[in-house]
Amino acid sequence: MSVQQDAAVKTLVLDDPGDVREAAGAVAGGEAVAYGFGNVYALGCRPEREVVERVARTTGRPAGRTAGVTTLPERVPAAFDWTRLPDGVPWQQVRSLMDELLGLGPVGLRGPASDRVPEALVTAGGGGPTVQVVATGTRCPSHAFLGAALALTGGDFLAVTSVDRSRRLTGRDHEPPPRRADGFGAEEGVRVLAHADEEAARRRHPFHRPTSVSVVAFHRTAGHTRSGLPALVLERQGSLSADHIRAIAANHGFGLFAAPPAAAPLAPRTYGTG
């Protein structure tokens, strides 16, 4: 089964097993897939540097920019080195916070990088290498696609970036949010795996705006709250509001410091950026 988002361009659909297998095979073969990601879209591909750089050029981003990581929700913890958390940040509480955020929907998480993460997806830094995981959460039907793609590629992770195109490519100051994958089906080396029902995808994630994900960082803290809780950093304010994340963080024993937009990137931004 397929739908048509662009004239004469075949668009695969997330709830069709044959389409999912075709999209997963495309990823294994080195192509990128623009697929339904929570309530928006993302571009997924193999994590090898040459593939990541080719996809970056497609969206108009610098080829040397570090890509984000995506995977199935249950494999997210494997992306992080839990022995390198900041002092006073218990890994059990970070894991419980992570699980609750993933239960709500799409989210970005930055932390110390595990040595299992491919080199092209790791950001070097003074405090040690970090990785930004961008996951759909537990409510998205894209898990079948991700699982099939990971099985064919033989790894735990894919590279991911947003479907919004850089202003360097479009010439526009602002690009619309990544709500659809229109236009990518006509790109060489890119397939589209669409939400079967766009409105249903939005309804599955009632707390998330249809825009790029919010990113919570735990590879360093921003001091402590007045009550003494370690303050994690909201590296980017995106689809899930800062107030919502702050309330969830408090339930797990953390404060939250929302970095100002101009100062937010603690490392090169990878998802939903221009």
Side-chain angles (χ1 to χ4, degrees):
M1 178 176 69
S2 63
V3 297
Q4 298 293 324
Q5 283 191 313
D6 298 308
V9 174
K10 181 183 180 184
T11 299
L12 309 173
V13 183
L14 274 170
D15 67 352
D16 185 280
D19 285 358
V20 166
R21 287 192 296 271
E22 183 175 338
V27 169
E31 296 186 55
V33 172
Y35 67 101
F37 187 99
N39 58 346
V40 290
Y41 281 82
L43 273 170
C45 66
R46 295 180 66 107
E48 290 83 3
R49 187 171 300 280
E50 62 272 19
V51 180
V52 171
E53 291 183 351
R54 186 173 71 247
V55 173
R57 289 192 293 270
T58 299
T59 61
R61 294 178 175 85
R65 175 168 289 183
T66 305
V69 169
T70 198
T71 189
L72 295 166
E74 61 268 24
R75 299 191 194 182
V76 168
F80 301 111
D81 182 349
W82 297 98
T83 69
R84 292 197 294 112
L85 293 182
D87 291 341
V89 177
W91 69 267
Q92 298 96 329
Q93 290 172 223
V94 176
R95 289 282 295 270
S96 64
L97 169 62
M98 179 185 301
D99 288 345
E100 185 167 355
L101 291 172
L102 289 168
L104 288 179
V107 66
L109 301 157
R110 184 181 294 283
S114 163
D115 58 11
R116 297 172 62 179
V117 178
E119 179 187 3
L121 310 183
V122 174
T123 299
T130 64
V131 61
Q132 180 176 290
V133 175
V134 185
T136 62
T138 60
R139 303 183 181 195
C140 183
S142 65
H143 299 163
F145 159 66
L146 286 173
L150 292 171
L152 290 174
T153 58
D156 288 316
F157 310 110
L158 297 179
V160 68
T161 189
S162 174
V163 296
D164 62 326
R165 297 176 190 266
S166 168
R167 57 180 172 268
R168 288 181 294 274
L169 187 65
T170 64
R172 296 191 290 266
D173 288 336
H174 300 286
E175 186 68 9
R179 300 178 183 181
R180 296 181 65 87
D182 295 338
F184 277 92
E187 291 281 354
E188 183 179 357
V190 180
R191 308 286 186 95
V192 175
L193 183 63
H195 292 297
D197 185 330
E198 301 288 348
E199 290 305 315
R202 309 283 189 270
R203 290 194 298 271
R204 282 189 204 100
H205 303 93
F207 302 112
H208 293 71
R209 296 183 298 119
T211 190
S212 299
V213 297
S214 299
V215 179
V216 179
F218 54 88
H219 65 291
R220 72 168 199 173
T221 63
H224 293 77
T225 66
R226 291 180 179 176
S227 58
L229 297 178
L232 305 183
V233 177
L234 182 59
E235 193 172 272
R236 183 169 72 241
Q237 301 184 52
S239 58
L240 189 61
S241 74
D243 287 342
H244 201 140
I245 297 172
R246 185 175 289 108
I248 294 172
N251 290 338
H252 297 275
F254 296 111
L256 187 73
F257 171 74
L266 303 180
R269 291 164 60 176
T270 57
Y271 178 85
T273 60

